[in-house]
Amino acid sequence: MTPRKKRIAIVIAILAGMAIAAALILTAFEKNLLYFYSPTQIVNGEAPDSRSFRIGGLVMTDSVKRNKDTLDVSFILTDTINEIEVVYNGILPDLFREGQGIVANGKLDENKLFQADEVLAKHDENYMPPEVAQALKEAGAEIPHQQYDTTQ
Amino acid sequence: MKLPRWIHQFGSPKYFYELSLWLSRWVAIVCVICFVCGLYGGLVLAPADYQQGDSFRIMYIHVPSAWMSLFIYMVMAVAGGIGLIWRIKLAEIVARSSAPIGASFTFLALVTGAIWGKPMWGTWWVWDARLTSELILLFLYLGYIALQSAFEDRRVAARAGAILALVGIVNIPIIHYSVEWWSTLHQGPTITKMDKPSIHLSMLIPLLFMVLAFKTFFISTLLIRARSEILEYECNASWVKQLLGSNNVTK
């Protein structure tokens, strides 16, 4: 083996070793790397019940109820299969609207209500001018929105 | 494994020094043209987004910076690997000169992302997989730069840096696929997904100009940085002494 071939072997060994190590670490920590749980995962009992966690889903149309005098708001989050009701007291982000994807941080209470202490909007990967969105709507086509993968 | 002769010729510092000045100028001209087109298209011609309004325009800086942060790391690692295996001086110089540019783009991507995140998401920062892995990339760059200045001998520093760069390359696919593998607050890919891009053409074209502008900015800056590195590397070579006038070179 010439010194150069030896160096090539070392470089390949570094790359292969790191790839294997990373694959093992990421597989081991897969659950911890999820930023949020979907309503289906929560219904299946995969979410922790003793500590706070994040829930992600679409705000169901016509489900937002606001209290006129306080900042209390409640809405239903759905992944189109299962639904979880979220209650929150605070200011919602600008992008919060019905049909929009959001992520909320909080805890499930004993009534299976999600008590959120933080609500973040998850904007999707679609960009278009308002006229295009309007035209899509008028044509009856669905405006594409973030798909929530329920298999995760 | 032997490299073709022309690579060695191009890799000769003297040849590269002469060619790079001419090359960096032309690339810089392309960069300025693309920058003007991209900024005008992105800030004036492109319509506001149907949901985000004018705030989406920060992506004309954010997206190219984020792409460049990954691309420059690849350049750094590949050049480092070539330098490690074939001991080509120019490859070491390219790797060394790339690092500060890459670190700057990573920083820019993180900062513009935070500025975007505050109004859109409602928070400056979250520890989701995409943002965290990009932050690790910044630390990798900073570690590489620190390592470069930790050694007296440039050739030793280049070898140590190359190993760090090769070890860190595992982070690149993680950053890229983080939004697909795990649920993240950061949205999924818009342009690089296999089916048609989910961005309107009037917004996409300025973005592509900006991507080209950032890429040519990197190439032109890299060439200029590499030129000054070559002079320091080769300060004892006869052609450098001749170039600078032998009295000026003290070392």
Side-chain angles (χ1 to χ4, degrees):
Chain A
M1 226 164 149
T2 62
R4 191 190 292 137
K5 277 191 183 144
K6 205 171 160 187
R7 294 198 293 261
I8 294 176
I10 290 171
V11 167
I12 291 170
I14 291 175
L15 291 177
M18 284 308 296
I20 292 166
L24 289 176
I25 292 170
L26 296 179
T27 325
F29 289 106
E30 203 179 353
K31 278 265 147 33
N32 306 41
L33 286 167
L34 292 182
Y35 190 66
F36 55 79
Y37 293 87
S38 69
T40 299
Q41 285 172 311
I42 294 166
V43 169
N44 293 344
E46 287 175 41
D49 44 79
S50 52
R51 61 180 177 87
S52 67
F53 63 95
R54 293 186 201 85
I55 176 176
L58 300 169
V59 180
M60 209 157 92
T61 317
D62 299 327
S63 73
V64 180
K65 285 180 232 129
R66 289 173 203 269
N67 186 319
K68 281 204 174 72
D69 304 318
T70 66
L71 286 173
D72 285 331
V73 59
S74 82
F75 52 89
I76 292 171
L77 268 194
T78 174
D79 55 5
T80 65
I81 297 168
N82 284 292
E83 292 155 12
I84 295 277
E85 189 169 356
V86 178
V87 290
Y88 178 60
N89 175 285
I91 296 165
L92 294 164
D94 286 359
L95 275 185
F96 181 92
R97 58 198 73 174
E98 289 175 352
Q100 173 76 34
I102 68 125
V103 173
N105 191 2
K107 260 181 168 176
L108 267 189
D109 67 8
E110 54 276 15
N111 305 321
K112 295 285 166 203
L113 278 178
F114 190 83
Q115 301 281 351
D117 40 49
E118 188 184 25
V119 173
L120 303 175
K122 178 173 162 59
H123 71 88
D124 61 26
E125 73 273 29
N126 298 297
Y127 302 88
M128 59 179 111
E131 307 87 69
V132 175
Q134 187 64 30
L136 273 179
K137 215 172 169 184
E138 276 165 14
E142 202 181 331
I143 296 176
H145 57 67
Q146 179 71 40
Q147 296 297 310
Y148 280 87
D149 191 354
T150 49
T151 56
Q152 276 175 348
Chain B
M1 213 165 120
K2 273 209 152 168
L3 289 176
R5 212 188 119 100
W6 64 269
I7 290 188
H8 284 287
Q9 198 204 357
F10 186 77
S12 111
K14 182 171 184 283
Y15 181 80
F16 180 84
Y17 188 84
E18 284 158 8
L19 183 74
S20 56
L21 183 65
W22 175 85
L23 206 58
S24 70
R25 277 190 190 150
W26 281 104
V27 174
I29 291 170
V30 175
C31 171
V32 169
I33 294 169
C34 288
F35 236 113
V36 171
C37 293
L39 280 182
Y40 185 73
L43 299 182
V44 181
L45 295 182
D49 183 57
Y50 75 119
Q51 288 218 307
Q52 302 178 34
D54 281 325
S55 308
F56 97 96
R57 294 183 201 277
I58 202 166
M59 84 169 175
Y60 292 113
I61 303 293
H62 176 75
V63 174
S65 319
W67 284 3
M68 288 313 290
S69 70
L70 302 186
F71 176 78
I72 295 175
Y73 196 89
M74 298 285 285
V75 170
M76 202 174 88
V78 171
I82 292 172
L84 199 63
I85 295 168
W86 287 281
R87 299 284 150 90
I88 296 177
K89 228 180 241 178
L90 185 65
E92 297 173 1
I93 291 170
V94 165
R96 192 186 170 97
S97 314
S98 299
I101 315 174
S104 316
F105 278 127
T106 314
F107 182 73
L108 198 59
L110 288 169
V111 169
T112 51
I115 296 170
W116 193 3
K118 186 60 187 171
M120 289 302 128
W121 295 341
T123 178
W124 298 100
W125 182 263
V126 289
W127 292 101
D128 81 348
R130 171 56 76 81
L131 277 65
T132 311
S133 54
E134 182 77 10
L135 185 66
I136 291 172
L137 184 70
L138 179 65
F139 293 153
L140 279 170
Y141 275 121
L142 296 181
Y144 181 93
I145 295 168
L147 201 59
Q148 289 302 298
S149 47
F151 290 93
E152 289 278 322
D153 183 353
R154 284 160 185 275
R155 308 292 312 247
V156 179
R159 258 176 271 162
I163 290 172
L164 175 67
L166 286 170
V167 166
I169 207 167
V170 75
N171 194 25
I172 300 298
I174 295 177
I175 296 174
H176 183 78
Y177 289 108
S178 56
V179 289
E180 293 176 17
W181 289 343
W182 307 292
S183 59
T184 52
L185 187 62
H186 195 284
Q187 77 277 25
T190 295
I191 294 158
T192 54
K193 56 184 189 187
M194 283 304 158
D195 47 344
K196 68 179 172 80
S198 34
I199 177 169
H200 195 261
L201 202 63
S202 59
M203 299 163 164
L204 178 63
I205 291 170
L207 183 60
L208 295 180
F209 270 110
M210 288 306 280
V211 168
L212 202 59
F214 274 52
K215 199 141 279 183
T216 45
F217 175 83
F218 163 62
I219 294 170
S220 146
T221 323
L222 174 67
L223 289 173
I224 295 166
R225 289 189 71 91
R227 283 168 64 80
S228 68
E229 283 280 340
I230 284 175
L231 289 185
E232 285 184 46
Y233 255 72
E234 300 280 276
C235 58
N236 289 322
S238 56
W239 68 272
V240 175
K241 284 187 177 159
Q242 213 168 24
L243 190 76
L244 301 177
S246 49
N247 294 339
N248 298 341
V249 183
T250 47
K251 255 184 172 175

